[in-house]
Amino acid sequence: MTRNVEYGILQTMKRKKAVITGASRGIGRAVAQILASHSYDLLITGKDPDRLAKAVTELSQSAEVHGIAADMLDPDSPEMIINRAEEVLGGIDLLVNNAGMSFAAPIEESTLADWEQVMTVNARAPFFLSKAALPLLRKSDSPVIIQIGSVVSIKGYENQSIYSASKHALAGLTKVLAREVYHEGIRVHLIMPGGVGTEMSVTMRPDIASNEMITPEEIGEIVLFLAERTGKGVIDEIQIHRETKAPWD
Ligand SMILES: NC(=O)c1ccc[n+]([C@@H]2O[C@H](COP(=O)([O-])OP(=O)(O)OC[C@H]3O[C@@H](n4cnc5c(N)ncnc54)[C@H](OP(=O)(O)O)[C@@H]3O)[C@@H](O)[C@H]2O)c1
């Protein structure tokens, strides 16, 4: 065991295995970077194969990194991703359900197709990824699932009805999953960020200046902290935002 001074936590030197969805850019890419630098080998996913291949090449400088291009709209993607993780990593210690899509429109301009697409990517895919990963996580000494929700997992902003519904759904399934697997030692966490400086926030949070945004690296640090902590206390959810009012105000 060595002490990781930067994060003040005990960290084993044994390499761990993580699956991170949507890690070709944005928050997922930053999560992948920090995990790759802290003894994790990775399977990362993305929709665009070229962008994914570039991320795999860059990340491979610090860890064993594999990529699988998979569209979360495809119902077969969750199982395909987890099967690939077993094949190339030999198991999973950490699943980070990060891939997501934004959508902003007033309710009256939102269509059935919009609903189906956003709910599928942001809620259905993490549900089935978590389900498919459980048999492999049960074989891990320190199994963790981390879901990337949003402040709109609890709040609601104008023009974000479908996006907000999808992130509320993710919060709901996470609460149930956390209870269902708690006694098997599998920890399940929900991180709920406010505006993070990525391509997505340009459309979703035009009200926040880019230099005021939370950085993707800050979310990466929280993921690492949650993945590595060993205490008895349960952390259900972490909200990180830049507003001065409490979320329930
Ligand atoms: N940015 C924010 O302000 C913010 C705040 C709260 C929560 N979040 C959440 O954080 C997560 C990451 O957001 P981000 O800001 O990093 O977004 P981003 O920069 O737009 O990146 C999204 C990632 O998800 C992948 N993805 C999108 N649609 C997909 C699909 N249909 N199938 C497979 N992969 C897909 C993208 O792959 P490609 O590169 O191939 O397109 C990319 O890797 C999302 O769940 C988002 O809802 C973001």
Side-chain angles (χ1 to χ4, degrees), residues 48-92:
D48 181 288
D50 295 336
R51 211 166 13 222
L52 180 70
K54 190 166 175 276
V56 169
T57 305
E58 289 166 4
L59 290 161
S60 293
Q61 297 182 2
S62 10
E64 180 187 323
V65 181
H66 305 268
I68 180 167
D71 189 340
M72 295 303 177
L73 288 172
D74 182 341
D76 294 331
S77 287
E79 213 160 299
M80 187 174 81
I81 291 165
I82 301 304
N83 287 344
R84 185 79 181 135
E86 185 168 26
E87 202 176 292
V88 296
L89 298 176
I92 302 177

Side-chain angles (χ1 to χ4, degrees), residues 125-198:
F127 178 90
F128 285 100
L129 274 153
S130 303
K131 179 183 169 188
L134 287 178
L136 292 185
L137 286 164
R138 284 192 183 103
K139 295 180 189 161
S140 164
D141 295 335
S142 53
V144 181
I145 297 176
I146 296 176
Q147 320 274 32
I148 306 298
S150 162
V151 285
V152 298
S153 290
I154 351 178
K155 298 170 80 169
Y157 294 129
E158 285 144 319
N159 299 332
Q160 293 195 17
S161 55
I162 299 180
Y163 181 70
S164 178
S166 72
K167 291 296 185 180
H168 272 68
L170 180 63
L173 77 88
T174 304
K175 288 173 194 171
V176 175
L177 178 64
R179 285 190 177 239
E180 286 191 358
V181 298
Y182 173 75
H183 294 290
E184 298 182 86
I186 303 175
R187 290 190 287 114
V188 183
H189 303 288
L190 176 68
I191 301 177
M192 299 180 290
V196 182
T198 68

